[in-house]
Amino acid sequence: MAGSGKTTFVQRITAHLHAKKNPPYVINLDPAVHEVPFPTNIDVRDTVNYKEVMKQYRLGPNGGIVTSLNLFATRFHEVMEFIEKKGSECKYVVLDTPGQIEVFTWSASGSIITEGLASTFPTVIVYVMDTPRSINPVTFMSNMLYACSILYKTKLPFVVAMNKTDIVDHSFAVEWMTDFEVFQDALQHETSYASNLTRSMSLVLDEFYSNLRAVGVSAVTGAGVPEFFTAIDEAAEEYRRDYKPEYDRLKREKEVKTEAEREEAIARLRRDMGKGEDVPLAASLRDEVRSKHAGTGMVLGLGGADDDSDDDEICQEEEEDEDERKEYESFKRFLKKQDTKPAEQKQDNG
């Protein structure tokens, strides 16, 4: 959630881990941030220039963030390699994402990064909520709907960090999540259309609340950080117990399907190669005509003309040959007749 103190909270948990002599591997995925208040091992700004992307592609702020992350995602396999190398040294890998939920959660790059991590490492999604801004029940419900959408989009263990408890205690939010009637009472003073929608949605989210880990934290004072890491460890164990077997099953099914498709393609190719019979090709049109007269069952032309055209030409040639033969016989009879005329004239004179 934008403005919830997410980056400050990352700074707090990073400092907490360093103090425990357990330094994390930190990655910044927000290309638009001006200054990162914590040490990073990988920074998207070192790879992609956010302002240059906006200028070159003529994009607005959110479009520039999405495009920058998309460009970075094309090289995320290299990030995975760095994380794997540091896996024996770092227990935790912390990624700070852009505050705009739709920019990361519902983008192609967000899916690539999330699924890439979840396929290899125990991955937990942390939703940082602004507690003081959520004292209004309608705003609280909006936050819960955001959290619910992220949970069902990523399908990974989920923790809600209710930040800024140094300003407003988060106990009211926990009570609203656990007691439906208390939340309905808080909505009595709301008369807008949104409040009516909130009443209806509160019934739907009961199941969501029952499996949700919620922890109150303060990025300023550090309150609740130990409890936060306890929730993270529990979520990581849930990943190993429930989510990892499912990911492995889906991966195996995909590999089996891919192998079956490959084998089917090879078998289809082999069947196609074994079909048909050898067909003799005519060396010339004369051989073709001779083959046709000899009763060959199939005749292939020389190309460029249809079978009907070839038949017409053959018939035409045969007719021309017949005409020439008749003319030749007629001419021979004429010559023979001319030879007999002088002999007849001599007999008449004698």
Side-chain angles (χ1 to χ4, degrees):
M1 180 179 179
S4 61
K6 175 179 55 60
T7 300
T8 307
F9 180 63
V10 172
Q11 179 190 24
R12 171 58 61 180
I13 62 176
T14 302
H16 174 82
L17 291 174
H18 277 284
K20 295 290 184 179
K21 306 299 181 181
N22 189 14
Y25 197 82
V26 185
I27 301 174
N28 173 48
L29 294 178
D30 190 351
V33 67
H34 291 290
E35 184 178 348
V36 178
F38 49 82
T40 59
N41 299 94
I42 297 177
D43 195 332
V44 65
R45 299 175 302 169
D46 296 335
T47 305
V48 183
N49 189 324
Y50 165 70
K51 291 185 177 180
E52 190 62 29
V53 168
M54 288 179 59
K55 180 180 178 181
Q56 182 175 348
Y57 295 98
R58 299 180 181 180
L59 300 171
N62 287 346
I65 294 174
V66 171
T67 305
S68 298
L69 282 176
N70 288 343
L71 294 172
F72 182 76
T74 60
R75 301 180 60 183
F76 195 72
H77 61 283
E78 298 179 15
V79 177
M80 295 286 292
E81 293 174 0
F82 285 122
I83 296 175
E84 289 176 354
K85 290 178 181 178
K86 294 292 183 180
S88 58
E89 302 176 14
C90 301
K91 181 180 179 181
Y92 297 99
V93 178
V94 181
L95 288 85
D96 186 17
T97 64
Q100 297 88 337
I101 294 173
E102 65 281 356
V103 165
F104 184 79
T105 306
W106 299 101
S107 66
S109 57
S111 298
I112 292 171
I113 293 171
T114 304
E115 292 175 6
L117 292 169
S119 64
T120 309
F121 309 104
T123 306
V124 179
I125 305 297
V126 179
Y127 180 76
V128 182
M129 189 177 81
D130 192 334
T131 307
R133 287 168 58 186
S134 299
I135 56 175
N136 184 297
V138 176
T139 307
F140 172 80
M141 180 55 65
S142 298
N143 269 290
M144 291 299 102
L145 289 175
Y146 267 133
C148 184
S149 67
I150 296 172
L151 172 63
Y152 286 107
K153 176 65 171 63
T154 58
K155 300 177 182 178
L156 289 169
F158 202 82
V159 175
V160 175
M162 298 180 178
N163 196 18
K164 304 181 182 179
T165 56
D166 54 306
I167 301 175
V168 175
D169 188 73
H170 70 292
S171 57
F172 76 92
V174 175
E175 189 177 17
W176 284 352
M177 292 167 62
T178 55
D179 194 329
F180 174 75
E181 293 182 355
V182 173
F183 183 69
Q184 292 296 316
D185 292 339
L187 284 170
Q188 291 298 325
H189 303 290
E190 299 289 337
T191 58
S192 63
Y193 171 78
S195 64
N196 294 329
L197 178 62
T198 301
R199 288 188 184 91
S200 302
M201 293 302 299
S202 61
L203 293 170
V204 178
L205 293 180
D206 272 345
E207 184 179 355
F208 170 66
Y209 293 148
S210 63
N211 299 314
L212 189 65
R213 295 179 180 85
V215 182
V217 296
S218 173
V220 175
T221 65
V225 172
E227 292 79 3
F228 169 77
F229 277 103
T230 300
I232 291 295
D233 292 339
E234 292 175 355
E237 183 59 33
E238 180 185 357
Y239 169 90
R240 296 186 184 95
R241 184 183 65 250
D242 301 331
Y243 288 81
K244 182 60 175 175
E246 181 66 14
Y247 266 100
D248 292 340
R249 183 184 67 82
L250 294 175
K251 184 178 180 180
R252 286 194 300 270
E253 289 181 356
K254 184 177 181 181
E255 290 175 352
V256 170
K257 182 179 179 182
T258 303
E259 181 65 19
E261 291 176 351
R262 188 182 71 84
E263 292 180 356
E264 176 63 22
I266 293 175
R268 192 184 307 115
L269 178 61
R270 288 174 178 171
R271 289 195 301 268
D272 293 342
M273 290 176 64
K275 287 183 178 180
E277 299 178 355
D278 293 338
V279 178
L281 299 179
S284 65
L285 185 59
R286 180 178 299 174
D287 295 336
E288 179 184 341
V289 175
R290 186 176 300 146
S291 299
K292 190 173 182 67
H293 282 290
T296 304
M298 181 176 181
V299 178
L300 295 182
L302 297 178
D306 296 335
D307 293 340
D308 295 339
S309 305
D310 295 339
D311 293 340
D312 293 342
E313 290 178 1
I314 294 170
C315 293
Q316 185 177 356
E317 289 180 358
E318 291 177 350
E319 292 175 357
E320 291 177 355
D321 292 342
E322 182 66 20
D323 292 340
E324 290 180 358
R325 186 180 63 79
K326 290 179 179 180
E327 290 179 1
Y328 177 70
E329 293 294 334
S330 177
F331 183 67
K332 284 175 64 176
R333 287 195 298 270
F334 173 76
L335 292 178
K336 187 176 180 180
K337 189 176 181 180
Q338 293 295 323
D339 291 339
T340 57
K341 280 184 178 182
E344 292 176 353
Q345 290 177 359
K346 288 179 178 180
Q347 291 177 0
D348 293 339
N349 293 332

